Coordinates of all heavy atoms in Angstrom, one line a residue:
M29 N 4.3 -8.9 20.5 CA 5.2 -10.0 20.0 C 4.5 -10.5 18.7 O 3.4 -10.9 18.6 CB 5.2 -11.1 21.0 CG 6.6 -11.5 21.6 SD 8.1 -10.9 20.7 CE 8.8 -12.5 20.4
H30 N 5.4 -10.5 17.6 CA 4.9 -11.2 16.4 C 5.3 -12.6 16.4 O 6.3 -13.0 16.9 CB 5.6 -10.5 15.2 CG 5.1 -9.1 14.9 ND1 3.9 -8.8 14.4 CD2 5.7 -7.9 15.1 CE1 3.8 -7.5 14.3 NE2 4.9 -7.0 14.7
T31 N 4.4 -13.4 15.8 CA 4.8 -14.8 15.6 C 5.6 -14.8 14.3 O 5.6 -13.9 13.5 CB 3.6 -15.7 15.4 OG1 2.9 -15.3 14.3 CG2 2.7 -15.7 16.6
M32 N 6.4 -15.9 14.0 CA 7.2 -16.0 12.8 C 6.3 -15.9 11.6 O 6.6 -15.3 10.6 CB 8.0 -17.3 12.8 CG 9.1 -17.4 13.8 SD 10.3 -16.1 13.6 CE 11.4 -16.9 12.5
S33 N 5.2 -16.5 11.7 CA 4.3 -16.6 10.5 C 3.8 -15.2 10.1 O 3.6 -14.8 9.0 CB 3.2 -17.5 10.6 OG 2.3 -17.1 11.7
E34 N 3.6 -14.3 11.1 CA 3.2 -13.0 10.8 C 4.3 -12.2 10.2 O 4.1 -11.5 9.2 CB 2.8 -12.2 12.1 CG 1.3 -12.3 12.5 CD 1.0 -11.6 13.8 OE1 1.7 -11.9 14.8 OE2 0.1 -10.8 13.8
I35 N 5.5 -12.3 10.7 CA 6.7 -11.6 10.2 C 6.9 -12.0 8.7 O 7.2 -11.1 7.9 CB 7.9 -11.8 11.0 CG1 7.7 -11.2 12.4 CG2 9.2 -11.3 10.3 CD1 8.8 -11.5 13.4
F36 N 6.8 -13.2 8.4 CA 7.1 -13.6 7.0 C 6.0 -13.8 6.1 O 6.1 -14.4 5.1 CB 8.0 -14.9 7.1 CG 9.3 -14.7 7.7 CD1 9.6 -15.2 9.0 CD2 10.3 -13.9 7.1 CE1 10.8 -14.9 9.6 CE2 11.5 -13.6 7.6 CZ 11.8 -14.1 8.9
Q37 N 4.8 -13.3 6.5 CA 3.6 -13.4 5.7 C 3.8 -12.6 4.4 O 4.3 -11.5 4.5 CB 2.4 -12.9 6.5 CG 1.1 -13.5 6.0 CD 0.1 -13.4 7.1 OE1 0.3 -12.9 8.1 NE2 -1.0 -14.0 6.8
T38 N 3.4 -13.2 3.3 CA 3.5 -12.5 2.0 C 2.1 -12.3 1.4 O 1.3 -13.3 1.4 CB 4.4 -13.3 1.1 OG1 5.7 -13.4 1.6 CG2 4.5 -12.6 -0.3
F39 N 1.8 -11.1 1.0 CA 0.5 -10.9 0.3 C 0.8 -10.5 -1.1 O 1.8 -10.0 -1.4 CB -0.3 -9.8 1.1 CG -0.7 -10.3 2.5 CD1 -0.2 -9.6 3.6 CD2 -1.6 -11.3 2.6 CE1 -0.5 -10.0 4.9 CE2 -2.0 -11.7 3.9 CZ -1.4 -11.0 5.0
T40 N -0.2 -10.6 -1.9 CA -0.1 -10.2 -3.3 C -0.9 -8.9 -3.5 O -2.0 -8.8 -3.0 CB -0.7 -11.3 -4.2 OG1 0.0 -12.5 -4.0 CG2 -0.6 -10.9 -5.7
A41 N -0.3 -8.0 -4.1 CA -0.9 -6.7 -4.5 C -1.1 -6.6 -6.0 O -0.1 -6.9 -6.7 CB -0.1 -5.5 -4.0
R42 N -2.3 -6.2 -6.4 CA -2.5 -6.1 -7.8 C -2.9 -4.6 -8.1 O -3.6 -4.0 -7.2 CB -3.7 -7.0 -8.2 CG -3.7 -7.3 -9.7 CD -4.8 -8.4 -9.9 NE -5.3 -8.2 -11.2 CZ -6.6 -8.5 -11.5 NH1 -7.4 -9.0 -10.7 NH2 -7.0 -8.3 -12.8
V43 N -2.4 -4.0 -9.1 CA -2.7 -2.6 -9.4 C -3.4 -2.5 -10.7 O -2.9 -2.9 -11.8 CB -1.4 -1.8 -9.4 CG1 -1.8 -0.3 -9.5 CG2 -0.5 -2.1 -8.2
L44 N -4.6 -1.9 -10.7 CA -5.4 -1.7 -11.9 C -5.3 -0.2 -12.2 O -4.9 0.6 -11.3 CB -6.9 -2.0 -11.6 CG -7.1 -3.5 -11.1 CD1 -8.6 -3.6 -10.7 CD2 -6.7 -4.4 -12.2
P45 N -5.5 0.3 -13.4 CA -5.9 -0.5 -14.6 C -4.8 -1.2 -15.3 O -5.0 -1.9 -16.3 CB -6.7 0.5 -15.4 CG -6.0 1.8 -15.1 CD -5.5 1.7 -13.7
A46 N -3.5 -0.9 -15.0 CA -2.4 -1.4 -15.7 C -2.3 -2.9 -15.5 O -1.6 -3.6 -16.3 CB -1.1 -0.7 -15.3
D47 N -2.9 -3.4 -14.5 CA -2.9 -4.8 -14.1 C -1.5 -5.3 -13.9 O -1.0 -6.2 -14.5 CB -3.6 -5.7 -15.2 CG -4.1 -7.0 -14.5 OD1 -4.0 -7.1 -13.3 OD2 -4.6 -7.9 -15.3
L48 N -0.8 -4.7 -12.9 CA 0.5 -5.0 -12.5 C 0.3 -5.8 -11.2 O -0.6 -5.6 -10.4 CB 1.4 -3.8 -12.2 CG 1.5 -2.9 -13.4 CD1 2.0 -1.5 -13.0 CD2 2.4 -3.5 -14.5
Q49 N 1.3 -6.7 -10.9 CA 1.2 -7.5 -9.7 C 2.5 -7.6 -9.0 O 3.5 -7.6 -9.6 CB 0.7 -8.9 -10.1 CG 0.1 -9.6 -8.9 CD -0.8 -10.8 -9.3 OE1 -1.7 -10.6 -10.1 NE2 -0.5 -12.0 -8.8
F50 N 2.5 -7.5 -7.7 CA 3.7 -7.7 -6.9 C 3.4 -8.3 -5.6 O 2.3 -8.2 -5.1 CB 4.5 -6.3 -6.8 CG 3.7 -5.2 -6.1 CD1 3.8 -5.0 -4.8 CD2 2.9 -4.4 -6.9 CE1 3.2 -4.0 -4.1 CE2 2.2 -3.3 -6.2 CZ 2.3 -3.1 -4.9
D51 N 4.5 -8.9 -5.0 CA 4.4 -9.5 -3.6 C 4.8 -8.4 -2.6 O 5.7 -7.7 -2.8 CB 5.3 -10.7 -3.5 CG 4.7 -11.9 -4.3 OD1 3.5 -11.9 -4.6 OD2 5.5 -12.8 -4.6
V52 N 4.1 -8.5 -1.4 CA 4.5 -7.7 -0.3 C 4.9 -8.6 0.8 O 4.0 -9.3 1.4 CB 3.3 -6.7 0.1 CG1 3.8 -5.7 1.1 CG2 2.7 -6.1 -1.1
E53 N 6.2 -8.6 1.2 CA 6.7 -9.5 2.2 C 6.9 -8.7 3.5 O 7.3 -7.6 3.5 CB 8.0 -10.0 1.8 CG 7.9 -11.1 0.7 CD 9.3 -11.5 0.2 OE1 10.2 -11.6 1.0 OE2 9.4 -11.8 -1.0
G54 N 6.7 -9.4 4.6 CA 7.0 -8.9 5.9 C 6.4 -7.6 6.2 O 5.2 -7.4 6.1
E55 N 7.3 -6.7 6.7 CA 6.8 -5.4 7.1 C 6.9 -4.3 6.1 O 6.9 -3.1 6.4 CB 7.7 -4.9 8.3 CG 7.7 -5.9 9.5 CD 6.5 -5.7 10.4 OE1 6.6 -4.8 11.2 OE2 5.6 -6.5 10.3
L56 N 7.1 -4.7 4.8 CA 7.2 -3.7 3.8 C 5.9 -2.9 3.6 O 4.8 -3.5 3.8 CB 7.5 -4.3 2.4 CG 8.9 -4.9 2.3 CD1 9.1 -5.6 0.9 CD2 10.0 -3.9 2.5
T57 N 6.0 -1.6 3.2 CA 4.8 -0.9 2.8 C 4.5 -1.2 1.4 O 5.3 -1.8 0.6 CB 5.0 0.6 2.9 OG1 6.0 1.0 2.0 CG2 5.4 1.0 4.3
L58 N 3.3 -0.9 1.0 CA 2.9 -1.2 -0.4 C 3.8 -0.5 -1.4 O 4.2 -1.0 -2.4 CB 1.4 -0.7 -0.7 CG 0.4 -1.6 -0.1 CD1 -1.0 -0.9 -0.1 CD2 0.3 -2.9 -0.9
L59 N 4.2 0.8 -1.1 CA 5.1 1.5 -1.9 C 6.5 0.9 -2.0 O 7.0 0.7 -3.1 CB 5.2 3.0 -1.4 CG 6.2 3.9 -2.2 CD1 5.6 4.1 -3.7 CD2 6.3 5.2 -1.6
E60 N 7.0 0.5 -0.9 CA 8.4 -0.2 -0.9 C 8.3 -1.5 -1.7 O 9.2 -1.7 -2.5 CB 8.8 -0.5 0.6 CG 9.2 0.8 1.4 CD 9.2 0.5 2.9 OE1 8.7 -0.5 3.3 OE2 9.8 1.3 3.5
A61 N 7.3 -2.3 -1.5 CA 7.2 -3.5 -2.2 C 7.0 -3.3 -3.7 O 7.6 -4.0 -4.5 CB 6.1 -4.3 -1.6
A62 N 6.3 -2.3 -4.0 CA 6.1 -2.0 -5.5 C 7.4 -1.7 -6.1 O 7.8 -2.2 -7.2 CB 5.1 -0.9 -5.6
E63 N 8.2 -0.8 -5.4 CA 9.4 -0.4 -6.0 C 10.4 -1.5 -6.1 O 11.2 -1.6 -7.1 CB 10.0 0.7 -5.1 CG 9.3 2.0 -5.3 CD 9.7 3.1 -4.3 OE1 10.3 2.7 -3.3 OE2 9.3 4.3 -4.5
M64 N 10.4 -2.4 -5.1 CA 11.3 -3.6 -5.2 C 10.9 -4.5 -6.4 O 11.7 -5.3 -6.9 CB 11.2 -4.4 -3.9 CG 12.0 -3.7 -2.8 SD 11.8 -4.5 -1.2 CE 12.6 -6.1 -1.5
S65 N 9.7 -4.5 -6.8 CA 9.2 -5.3 -7.9 C 9.1 -4.5 -9.2 O 8.5 -4.9 -10.2 CB 7.8 -5.9 -7.6 OG 7.9 -6.6 -6.4
R66 N 9.8 -3.3 -9.2 CA 9.8 -2.5 -10.4 C 8.4 -2.1 -10.9 O 8.1 -2.0 -12.1 CB 10.6 -3.2 -11.5 CG 12.0 -3.6 -11.0 CD 12.9 -4.1 -12.2 NE 13.1 -3.2 -13.2 CZ 13.9 -2.1 -13.2 NH1 14.6 -1.9 -12.1 NH2 14.1 -1.3 -14.2
V67 N 7.6 -1.8 -9.9 CA 6.3 -1.2 -10.2 C 6.3 0.2 -9.7 O 6.6 0.4 -8.5 CB 5.1 -2.0 -9.6 CG1 3.8 -1.2 -9.7 CG2 5.0 -3.4 -10.1
Q68 N 6.1 1.2 -10.6 CA 6.2 2.6 -10.2 C 4.9 3.2 -9.8 O 3.9 3.2 -10.5 CB 6.7 3.4 -11.4 CG 8.0 4.1 -11.2 CD 8.5 4.7 -12.4 OE1 7.8 5.4 -13.2 NE2 9.8 4.5 -12.7
L69 N 4.8 3.6 -8.5 CA 3.7 4.4 -8.0 C 4.2 5.8 -7.7 O 5.3 6.0 -7.2 CB 3.1 3.8 -6.7 CG 2.7 2.3 -6.8 CD1 2.2 1.8 -5.4 CD2 1.5 2.1 -7.8
P70 N 3.4 6.8 -8.0 CA 3.8 8.2 -7.7 C 4.0 8.3 -6.2 O 3.3 7.7 -5.4 CB 2.6 9.0 -8.0 CG 1.7 8.2 -8.9 CD 2.0 6.8 -8.6
S71 N 5.1 9.0 -5.8 CA 5.4 9.2 -4.3 C 6.2 10.5 -4.2 O 6.9 10.9 -5.1 CB 6.1 8.0 -3.7 OG 7.4 7.9 -4.2
S72 N 6.2 11.0 -3.0 CA 7.0 12.2 -2.7 C 7.5 12.1 -1.3 O 8.7 11.7 -1.0 CB 6.2 13.4 -2.9 OG 7.0 14.5 -2.6
C73 N 6.7 12.4 -0.3 CA 7.2 12.5 1.1 C 7.5 11.1 1.7 O 8.4 11.0 2.5 CB 6.1 13.1 2.0 SG 4.7 12.1 2.3
R74 N 6.8 10.1 1.3 CA 7.0 8.7 1.8 C 6.7 8.6 3.3 O 7.1 7.6 3.9 CB 8.4 8.2 1.5 CG 8.8 8.4 0.1 CD 10.2 7.9 -0.2 NE 10.3 6.5 0.0 CZ 10.1 5.6 -1.0 NH1 9.9 6.0 -2.2 NH2 10.2 4.3 -0.8
N75 N 6.0 9.6 3.9 CA 5.7 9.4 5.3 C 4.2 9.7 5.6 O 3.9 10.0 6.7 CB 6.6 10.2 6.2 CG 6.5 11.7 5.9 OD1 5.5 12.2 5.4 ND2 7.5 12.5 6.3
G76 N 3.4 9.6 4.6 CA 2.0 9.7 4.8 C 1.4 11.1 5.0 O 0.3 11.3 5.5
T77 N 2.1 12.2 4.5 CA 1.6 13.5 4.7 C 1.2 14.2 3.3 O 0.2 14.9 3.3 CB 2.5 14.4 5.5 OG1 3.8 14.4 4.9 CG2 2.6 14.0 6.9
C78 N 2.0 14.0 2.3 CA 1.8 14.8 1.1 C 0.6 14.4 0.2 O 0.1 15.1 -0.6 CB 3.1 14.8 0.2 SG 3.4 13.3 -0.7
R79 N 0.2 13.1 0.3 CA -0.9 12.5 -0.4 C -0.6 12.3 -1.9 O -1.5 12.0 -2.7 CB -2.2 13.4 -0.3 CG -2.6 13.5 1.2 CD -3.6 14.6 1.4 NE -4.7 14.6 0.6 CZ -5.9 14.0 0.9 NH1 -6.0 13.4 2.1 NH2 -6.9 14.0 0.1
T80 N 0.7 12.4 -2.3 CA 1.0 12.2 -3.7 C 0.6 10.7 -4.1 O 0.3 10.5 -5.3 CB 2.5 12.4 -4.0 OG1 2.8 13.7 -3.6 CG2 2.9 12.1 -5.4
C81 N 0.8 9.8 -3.2 CA 0.6 8.4 -3.5 C -0.9 8.0 -3.4 O -1.2 6.8 -3.7 CB 1.5 7.6 -2.6 SG 1.1 7.7 -0.9
L82 N -1.7 8.9 -3.0 CA -3.2 8.5 -2.7 C -3.8 7.7 -3.8 O -3.7 8.0 -5.0 CB -3.9 9.8 -2.5 CG -5.4 9.7 -2.2 CD1 -5.6 9.3 -0.7 CD2 -6.1 11.1 -2.4
C83 N -4.4 6.6 -3.4 CA -5.2 5.8 -4.4 C -6.3 5.1 -3.8 O -6.5 5.1 -2.5 CB -4.2 4.9 -5.2 SG -3.6 3.6 -4.2
Q84 N -7.1 4.4 -4.6 CA -8.2 3.6 -4.1 C -7.9 2.2 -3.8 O -7.2 1.5 -4.6 CB -9.3 3.6 -5.1 CG -10.2 4.8 -5.2 CD -11.4 4.7 -4.2 OE1 -11.7 3.7 -3.7 NE2 -12.1 5.8 -4.0
L85 N -8.3 1.7 -2.7 CA -8.2 0.3 -2.4 C -9.5 -0.4 -2.9 O -10.6 -0.1 -2.3 CB -8.1 0.1 -0.9 CG -7.8 -1.3 -0.3 CD1 -6.5 -1.8 -0.8 CD2 -7.9 -1.3 1.2
V86 N -9.4 -1.2 -3.9 CA -10.6 -1.9 -4.5 C -11.0 -3.0 -3.6 O -12.2 -3.3 -3.4 CB -10.3 -2.3 -5.9 CG1 -11.5 -3.0 -6.5 CG2 -9.8 -1.1 -6.8
S87 N -10.0 -3.8 -3.1 CA -10.4 -4.9 -2.3 C -9.2 -5.2 -1.4 O -8.1 -4.9 -1.7 CB -10.8 -6.2 -3.0 OG -9.7 -6.7 -3.7
G88 N -9.5 -5.9 -0.2 CA -8.5 -6.2 0.7 C -8.4 -5.2 1.9 O -9.2 -4.2 1.9
N89 N -7.4 -5.4 2.8 CA -7.3 -4.5 3.9 C -5.8 -4.1 4.2 O -4.9 -4.8 3.8 CB -7.8 -5.3 5.2 CG -9.3 -5.5 5.1 OD1 -10.1 -4.5 5.2 ND2 -9.7 -6.7 5.0
V90 N -5.7 -2.9 4.8 CA -4.3 -2.5 5.1 C -4.3 -2.0 6.6 O -5.4 -1.7 7.1 CB -3.9 -1.3 4.2 CG1 -3.8 -1.7 2.7 CG2 -4.8 -0.1 4.4
R91 N -3.1 -1.9 7.1 CA -2.9 -1.1 8.4 C -1.8 -0.1 8.1 O -1.1 -0.2 7.1 CB -2.5 -2.1 9.5 CG -1.1 -2.7 9.2 CD -0.6 -3.4 10.5 NE 0.6 -4.2 10.0 CZ 0.7 -5.5 10.2 NH1 -0.3 -6.2 10.8 NH2 1.7 -6.1 9.7
Y92 N -1.8 0.9 9.0 CA -0.8 2.0 8.7 C 0.4 1.9 9.7 O 0.2 1.6 10.8 CB -1.6 3.3 8.8 CG -2.4 3.6 7.6 CD1 -3.7 3.4 7.6 CD2 -1.8 4.0 6.4 CE1 -4.5 3.5 6.4 CE2 -2.5 4.2 5.3 CZ -3.9 4.0 5.3 OH -4.6 4.1 4.1
T93 N 1.5 2.4 9.2 CA 2.7 2.4 10.0 C 2.8 3.7 10.8 O 3.7 3.8 11.6 CB 4.0 2.3 9.1 OG1 4.0 3.4 8.2 CG2 4.0 1.0 8.2
V94 N 2.0 4.6 10.5 CA 1.9 5.9 11.3 C 0.5 6.0 11.8 O -0.4 5.5 11.3 CB 2.3 7.1 10.4 CG1 3.7 7.0 9.9 CG2 1.3 7.2 9.2
E95 N 0.4 6.8 12.9 CA -0.8 6.9 13.6 C -1.9 7.7 12.9 O -3.0 7.4 12.8 CB -0.6 7.5 15.0 CG -1.7 7.0 16.0 CD -1.2 7.2 17.4 OE1 0.0 7.3 17.7 OE2 -2.1 7.4 18.3
W96 N -1.4 8.8 12.2 CA -2.3 9.7 11.5 C -1.9 9.9 10.1 O -1.4 11.0 9.7 CB -2.3 11.1 12.3 CG -2.7 11.0 13.7 CD1 -2.0 11.2 14.8 CD2 -4.1 10.7 14.2 NE1 -2.7 11.1 15.9 CE2 -4.0 10.8 15.6 CE3 -5.3 10.4 13.5 CZ2 -5.1 10.5 16.4 CZ3 -6.4 10.2 14.3 CH2 -6.3 10.2 15.7
P97 N -2.1 8.9 9.3 CA -1.9 9.1 7.8 C -2.8 10.3 7.3 O -3.8 10.5 7.9 CB -2.2 7.8 7.2 CG -3.1 7.1 8.2 CD -2.7 7.6 9.5
G98 N -2.3 11.0 6.3 CA -3.0 12.2 5.8 C -4.3 11.9 5.1 O -4.4 12.3 3.9
L99 N -5.1 11.2 5.8 CA -6.4 10.8 5.2 C -7.5 11.2 6.2 O -7.4 11.0 7.4 CB -6.5 9.3 5.0 CG -5.8 8.6 3.9 CD1 -6.0 7.1 4.1 CD2 -6.4 9.0 2.6
S100 N -8.6 11.7 5.7 CA -9.8 12.0 6.6 C -10.5 10.6 6.8 O -10.4 9.7 6.1 CB -10.7 13.0 6.0 OG -11.3 12.4 4.8
A101 N -11.3 10.6 7.9 CA -12.1 9.4 8.2 C -13.0 9.1 7.0 O -13.2 8.0 6.7 CB -12.9 9.7 9.4
E102 N -13.5 10.2 6.3 CA -14.4 10.0 5.2 C -13.7 9.3 4.1 O -14.2 8.4 3.4 CB -15.0 11.3 4.7 CG -16.0 12.0 5.6 CD -15.3 12.7 6.8 OE1 -14.1 12.9 6.7 OE2 -16.0 12.9 7.8
E103 N -12.4 9.8 3.8 CA -11.7 9.2 2.7 C -11.3 7.7 3.0 O -11.4 6.9 2.2 CB -10.4 10.0 2.5 CG -10.6 11.3 1.9 CD -9.4 12.2 1.9 OE1 -8.6 12.1 2.8 OE2 -9.3 13.0 1.0
K104 N -11.0 7.4 4.3 CA -10.7 6.1 4.7 C -12.0 5.2 4.4 O -11.9 4.1 3.9 CB -10.4 5.9 6.1 CG -8.9 6.2 6.4 CD -8.6 5.8 7.8 CE -7.3 6.3 8.3 NZ -7.1 6.1 9.7
A105 N -13.1 5.8 4.8 CA -14.4 5.0 4.6 C -14.7 4.8 3.2 O -15.3 3.8 2.8 CB -15.5 5.8 5.3
E106 N -14.3 5.7 2.3 CA -14.5 5.6 0.9 C -13.5 4.7 0.2 O -13.5 4.5 -1.0 CB -14.5 7.0 0.2 CG -15.7 7.8 0.5 CD -15.6 9.2 0.1 OE1 -14.7 9.6 -0.7 OE2 -16.4 10.1 0.6
G107 N -12.5 4.2 1.0 CA -11.6 3.2 0.4 C -10.3 3.8 -0.1 O -9.5 3.2 -0.8
F108 N -10.0 5.1 0.2 CA -8.7 5.7 -0.2 C -7.6 5.2 0.8 O -7.8 5.0 2.0 CB -8.7 7.2 -0.2 CG -9.5 7.8 -1.3 CD1 -10.8 8.2 -1.2 CD2 -8.9 7.9 -2.6 CE1 -11.5 8.7 -2.3 CE2 -9.6 8.4 -3.7 CZ -10.9 8.8 -3.5
V109 N -6.4 5.0 0.2 CA -5.3 4.6 1.0 C -4.0 5.3 0.6 O -4.0 5.9 -0.5 CB -5.0 3.0 0.9 CG1 -6.0 2.2 1.5 CG2 -4.7 2.6 -0.6
L110 N -3.0 5.4 1.4 CA -1.7 6.0 1.2 C -0.7 4.9 1.2 O -0.2 4.4 2.2 CB -1.4 7.0 2.2 CG -2.3 8.3 2.3 CD1 -1.9 9.1 3.5 CD2 -2.2 9.1 1.0
P111 N -0.3 4.4 0.0 CA 0.6 3.2 -0.1 C 1.9 3.4 0.6 O 2.5 2.4 1.0 CB 0.8 3.0 -1.6 CG -0.4 3.7 -2.3 CD -0.8 4.8 -1.3
C112 N 2.4 4.6 0.7 CA 3.7 4.8 1.3 C 3.8 4.4 2.8 O 4.8 4.2 3.4 CB 4.2 6.2 1.1 SG 3.3 7.5 2.1
V113 N 2.6 4.4 3.5 CA 2.6 4.1 4.9 C 1.6 3.0 5.2 O 1.2 2.8 6.3 CB 2.2 5.3 5.8 CG1 3.4 6.3 5.9 CG2 1.0 6.1 5.3
A114 N 1.2 2.2 4.1 CA 0.2 1.2 4.3 C 0.8 -0.2 4.1 O 1.6 -0.4 3.2 CB -1.0 1.3 3.3
Q115 N 0.5 -1.1 5.0 CA 1.0 -2.5 4.9 C -0.3 -3.3 4.8 O -1.2 -3.2 5.5 CB 1.7 -2.9 6.2 CG 3.0 -2.1 6.5 CD 3.5 -2.4 7.9 OE1 2.7 -2.7 8.8 NE2 4.8 -2.3 8.0
P116 N -0.3 -4.2 3.7 CA -1.4 -5.0 3.6 C -1.6 -6.0 4.7 O -0.6 -6.5 5.2 CB -1.2 -5.7 2.2 CG 0.3 -5.7 2.1 CD 0.8 -4.5 2.8
T117 N -2.8 -6.3 5.0 CA -3.1 -7.4 6.0 C -3.9 -8.5 5.3 O -4.4 -9.4 6.0 CB -3.9 -6.9 7.2 OG1 -5.1 -6.2 6.8 CG2 -3.1 -5.8 8.0
S118 N -4.0 -8.4 4.0 CA -4.6 -9.4 3.2 C -4.1 -9.2 1.7 O -3.4 -8.2 1.5 CB -6.1 -9.3 3.2 OG -6.5 -8.1 2.5
D119 N -4.4 -10.0 0.8 CA -4.2 -9.7 -0.6 C -5.0 -8.4 -0.9 O -6.1 -8.2 -0.4 CB -4.6 -10.8 -1.5 CG -3.7 -12.0 -1.4 OD1 -2.6 -11.9 -0.8 OD2 -4.1 -13.1 -1.9
V120 N -4.4 -7.5 -1.7 CA -5.1 -6.3 -2.0 C -5.1 -6.0 -3.5 O -4.3 -6.5 -4.3 CB -4.4 -5.1 -1.3 CG1 -4.5 -5.2 0.2 CG2 -3.0 -4.9 -1.8
V121 N -6.1 -5.2 -3.9 CA -6.2 -4.7 -5.3 C -6.3 -3.2 -5.1 O -7.2 -2.7 -4.4 CB -7.4 -5.3 -6.0 CG1 -7.5 -4.7 -7.4 CG2 -7.4 -6.8 -6.1
L122 N -5.4 -2.5 -5.8 CA -5.4 -1.0 -5.8 C -5.9 -0.5 -7.2 O -5.6 -1.2 -8.2 CB -4.0 -0.5 -5.6 CG -3.3 -0.9 -4.3 CD1 -1.9 -0.4 -4.3 CD2 -4.1 -0.3 -3.1
D123 N -6.5 0.7 -7.2 CA -6.8 1.3 -8.4 C -5.9 2.6 -8.5 O -6.2 3.5 -7.7 CB -8.3 1.7 -8.5 CG -8.7 2.3 -9.8 OD1 -7.8 2.5 -10.7 OD2 -9.9 2.6 -10.0
H124 N -4.9 2.6 -9.3 CA -4.0 3.7 -9.4 C -3.7 4.0 -10.9 O -2.8 3.4 -11.5 CB -2.8 3.4 -8.6 CG -2.1 4.6 -8.1 ND1 -2.0 5.8 -8.9 CD2 -1.5 4.9 -6.9 CE1 -1.4 6.7 -8.2 NE2 -1.1 6.2 -7.0
P125 N -4.4 4.9 -11.5 CA -4.3 5.1 -12.9 C -2.9 5.5 -13.4 O -2.5 5.4 -14.5 CB -5.2 6.3 -13.2 CG -6.2 6.3 -12.1 CD -5.5 5.7 -10.9
L126 N -2.0 6.0 -12.4 CA -0.7 6.5 -12.8 C 0.4 5.4 -12.6 O 1.5 5.6 -12.9 CB -0.3 7.7 -12.0 CG -1.2 9.0 -12.2 CD1 -0.8 10.1 -11.3 CD2 -1.1 9.4 -13.7
A127 N 0.0 4.3 -12.1 CA 1.0 3.2 -11.8 C 1.5 2.6 -13.2 O 0.7 2.5 -14.1 CB 0.3 2.1 -11.0
K128 N 2.8 2.3 -13.2 CA 3.3 1.7 -14.4 C 4.5 0.9 -14.1 O 5.1 1.0 -13.0 CB 3.6 2.8 -15.5 CG 4.6 3.8 -14.9 CD 4.9 4.8 -16.0 CE 6.0 5.8 -15.4 NZ 6.0 7.1 -15.9
A129 N 4.9 0.0 -15.0 CA 6.0 -0.8 -14.8 C 7.3 0.1 -15.0 O 7.4 0.9 -15.9 CB 6.0 -1.9 -15.9
A130 N 8.2 -0.1 -14.1 CA 9.4 0.8 -14.1 C 10.4 0.2 -15.2 O 10.4 -0.9 -15.5 CB 10.1 0.8 -12.8
Ligands
FES201 S1 4.2 9.7 -0.7 FE1 3.4 11.4 0.5 S2 1.6 10.6 1.4 FE2 2.5 8.9 0.3

């Protein structure tokens, strides 16, 4: 059971080096929230397998909407994330050289 505050929690995501910022509300993934804010991140499969969206998490934490996102344990440990299936659990900063304003 989610509490109301969990459902409506909003976090801020910042994307370097372009220094774009967007809000992530509720259960949105980082990719969905970016698109709603007209921030373009590369994507293809949108289900955590193709790795097109792969980028570095500079700070903050995420959880995944799928059990086995296409990331190795080593990559996770090195701070790589897949924004199409990642939901922030704190404010986050991503490093994604291909991100741009749509
Ligand atoms: S878009 Fe395919 S893994 Fe994210």
